[in-house]
Amino acid sequence: MNIGAEPPSLDWSVTTDSTSFDVISNLMVGLTQYTANLSCAPACASSWEITDGGRCYVFHLRQDARWSDGQPVTAYDFEYAWKRLLTPKTAAQYAFFFYDIVGAFEFNTGTLKDASKVGVMATDPHTLVVRLKKPAAYFIYLTAFCPSFPQRKDIIERWGDRWTDPEHIVTNGPFRLSTWKHEYKIELSANPLFFEGEPAIKRIKMFMVTEQSTAFALYENNEFDYVDNRSFSTPDVERCCRSPEYHNIALLRNNYIGFNTTKRPFDDRRVRLAVSMAVDRNIFPTILRRHERPSDSWIPPPLAGYASDSGPGYHPDIARRLLAEAGYPGGAGFPPVELLYPNREDTRLVVEQIQDQLKRVLGIKIVLTNQEWKVYLETLRRNPPAMFRNSWGADYPDPETFMNIFTSHNGNNDTRWSNATYDQLISKAKAESNQELRADLYRRADHLLCAQEAPIACTYLSSQNLMVKPWVHGIAFNALDLQFFKNAYIQAPVNSNKADFHTSIPCSHATVLSLPVTSKCRVYQQLSSAVFGKTPTLARGSVVACPNLSPAVTESPAEQATKESAQ
Amino acid sequence: MMLICKRLLWTIPILWMVATITFALVRVVPGGPFDAEKHLPPEIVANIKAKYHLDKPVIEQYILYLNRLAHGDLGVSYKYVNRTVNDIIGDALPVSIQLGATALIIAIVIGIPLGTFAAVRRGTAYDLAAMAISTIGISVPSFLVGALLIYIFGITFKILPVALWESPSHMIMPALTLSFLPTAYIARLTRASVLEVLQKDWVRTARSKGLSLQSTIIKHVLRNSLLPVLTIIGPLTAILITGSFTVEYIYAIPGMGRFFITAVINRDYDLIMATSLIFAVILIACNTVVDMAYTLLDPRIKVKS
């Protein structure tokens, strides 16, 4: 397979990119793990309790979890990893995700020197207690997030910066790191000590082919068994989208046009709304041609708080009226406005389309400016222009990851928009433990953000395009753009090049290929009722025959079991 | 020996200048190594800057950098966390040298005979064909050559691997692609140079004395006409063995060429400075070897020491 680029690091305390996470997610497991429908299931923690009104989490670790060198995985490994993440010297970029923990912010910023006062403590080898400053309903998701994975103090102290080298690293997940040829390939080998059982696939080769046409040629030559967006040019997507090997997944990545609300004319909400309502989002999948989903609201489906009517919709007449009310009838007198975008082909297509639509619908002229990626980022950080194109991908499957960035003091709020009502809604939702109430709070906040105040105009949801060879089954993908190989297996090898893969099917259980969650749920229901008559129970090694759906889409008994035990 | 010593001594101020100019340029360019789609909280940025000494005044960073450099430490990568630039260059440069040296050999072995042949057959269809080939070689960009070779030999006939760096057969197409341009340059230069030498009186004398054309070309003409070719082989070698971004990109080769581009895109300061320095060192070394080779090819040339 192709991972497209060199992972910047396999130290899960310091790395932040999706390439590294793709590798690490197959080497390690945390306290919990994401299921196919993005809920949290037990992993190293067999169960947990939430007490003190959501301020205290007590995780009970399973007894049979082992590192790849045979040592038991203990709560001390988690305590060490989390405190290492928060140590200023580690300079971990994602340390801020854990600022909800008591003393975490103070420790990370150096005002608290005593690590024992940070609210993470292993009370015995199998119990980890985490204390939060205030309730954070999304916190459980962080325990399945790569930076929260455990680490071995003895290994890191012994090998220093080289602890992630294949000869030193120890892992607790389905695979071990056996080879890492920098800028070229990574090889994973099955971990026989993995507590869910040794994976059926004994070896995975992850090449780092940056050029899409080369990677796709390797796939077509049967040298790669599986490729994703990193190996797909748009013409390849169009050529292959009707192939049974093709799959498309909506990602939790939303794209938007941001307005600097401190600059004319976008300091007037009527102008922002007019622009947002004048954009027909249905055009974006047509011009981008990678099966994107049009989106006019900020929370993407299937996250809590998503509502199809949260956005402003496409209403040219209302848009023209709002613009006239703001003092620009037919676009007359509208000041020159710059729309900044990073220098990429897809973003160019999007902003050109928006420029055209605004000219036609509202009669306003937008000047397009593109900048090299890092220059663009610095411009956004220092002095955002009146309009800019941006996107945001979820770090964990909770609306918080999207909604938090437009609160008044968030560093990622390049719109400079500040709204006390919105801040209150987000603050309440963050602490709310009742899921229905929480979803309602987010729904209201999303409506306020997109359809009432409109500091942003959402455009479309990105998608992941995949090609999987017919003999490969069980790779699990999710909307966070993570891929898992622990349940993958080869059913029918077609040539001798497949020597690296097991040809039999000693898989631990039938497997999941996650489609977009909405599709997956629908298909799952169809399977349950039409094929099985109830929730499917699959024997070890069984394969689901699923007409018109290849490979089968279902949830494994292991996942069901883990979910049930979590509940 | 004196020449080598003198060149070595000159290398120090040259490298210092390269290091200083690059150090200044990378800090002037907008955008920093830790700018990302998700802006980091200022507290996190402070920790990162402290880790890499970027919180210190620029002049102090410069002194630290020169001090490290003097000890052979090229620094650390900001992009590839926990990897030193020495490690990165140490992994990638041998691959580029292997590929570049192969491409250079191909370029010399094909380019010089092709240029000589075209010069000897000046004005004939052979000459036109040879020069047409070399013009195409200069004009067609390597990404197109690479894509064509992959399509023909990798996908259509399946006789060579499409890409990757696994076995000697994986080197054939990248080396051919990389050698396309230098072959054309060498052929054109050789042709022009051989044509010039062929007009000399002593060539006519040699021929009138009954020396065969083949012997005249090999023993007399080539030796005299190769000096201009040798001149460009110095920088050409430096360019080839430090890697080609395009060829490495197309064929997924783990060489050093990509870092000349990606290090700048990532604002990976130490890696940018290291690639510049490595290129400067190799260029100086190649030019020194070429200067030495002049005296071997033409004893009339004496290098002032």
Side-chain angles (χ1 to χ4, degrees), chain A residues 368-386:
Chain A
L368 303 181
T369 307
N370 76 69
Q371 288 181 344
E372 187 264 352
W373 177 240
K374 292 271 185 180
V375 180
Y376 158 85
L377 290 172
E378 183 165 306
T379 308
L380 280 192
R381 189 162 48 85
R382 288 179 186 274
N383 183 22

Side-chain angles (χ1 to χ4, degrees), chain A residues 19-236:
Chain A
T19 308
S20 304
F21 287 168
D22 271 344
V23 181
I24 292 165
S25 299
N26 289 287
L27 293 172
M28 291 293 300
V29 286
L31 290 167
T32 64
Q33 57 188 333
Y34 297 128
T35 63
N37 65 358
L38 296 177
S39 58
C40 269
C44 286
S46 54
S47 63
W48 56 88
E49 295 135 24
I50 304 170
T51 58
D52 193 17
R55 287 184 183 82
C56 184
Y57 285 69
V58 181
F59 295 94
H60 303 287
L61 271 64
R62 54 192 301 155
Q63 308 277 334
D64 58 345
R66 289 277 180 279
W67 291 97
S68 52
D69 64 351
Q71 297 289 315
V73 178
T74 67
Y76 301 115
D77 299 328
F78 284 93
E79 182 185 343
Y80 170 72
W82 292 22
K83 286 182 177 172
R84 177 174 177 261
L85 178 87
L86 292 167
T87 302
K89 200 179 161 192
T90 307
Q93 295 189 24
Y94 274 3
F96 69 91
F97 278 110
F98 294 83
Y99 280 178
D100 288 320
I101 296 172
V102 169
F105 175 79
E106 293 77 6
F107 185 61
N108 188 237
T109 50
T111 52
L112 173 67
K113 304 290 180 193
D114 185 358
S116 67
K117 290 186 176 162
V118 177
V120 184
M121 185 177 288
T123 53
D124 64 60
H126 297 102
T127 309
L128 184 74
V129 180
V130 181
R131 288 179 291 112
L132 305 184
K133 289 172 191 162
K134 50 187 178 183
Y138 56 87
F139 181 77
I140 193 66
Y141 290 116
L142 295 179
T143 61
F145 189 35
C146 287
S148 74
F149 292 168
Q151 286 172 338
R152 281 274 293 281
K153 187 180 178 185
D154 57 329
I155 298 290
I156 293 175
E157 286 184 348
R158 182 174 177 196
W159 299 111
D161 286 347
R162 295 200 174 273
W163 77 269
T164 53
D165 290 353
E167 58 272 29
H168 305 143
I169 191 170
V170 292
T171 58
N172 72 343
F175 294 93
R176 295 181 299 186
L177 180 68
S178 51
T179 307
W180 187 1
K181 287 188 181 174
H182 292 289
E183 303 289 338
Y184 184 58
K185 76 172 170 184
I186 280 176
E187 286 187 26
L188 309 184
S189 56
N191 179 9
L193 300 177
F194 181 46
F195 58 78
E196 286 185 20
E198 185 179 357
I201 286 185
K202 298 302 172 201
R203 189 168 286 267
I204 298 173
K205 291 181 181 176
M206 297 173 157
F207 287 94
M208 302 158 198
V209 183
T210 314
E211 169 56 32
Q212 287 181 327
S213 60
T214 304
F216 204 71
L218 287 162
Y219 177 80
E220 292 192 309
N221 263 17
N222 290 342
E223 290 179 60
F224 287 170
D225 292 287
Y226 148 68
V227 286
D228 59 17
N229 268 348
R230 292 171 285 208
S231 313
F232 252 114
S233 64
T234 302
D236 289 331

Side-chain angles (χ1 to χ4, degrees), chain B residues 196-208:
Chain B
E196 192 184 329
V197 175
L198 281 174
Q199 309 297 323
K200 301 284 184 188
D201 290 343
W202 48 266
V203 174
R204 207 172 299 121
T205 306
R207 291 285 286 146
S208 63

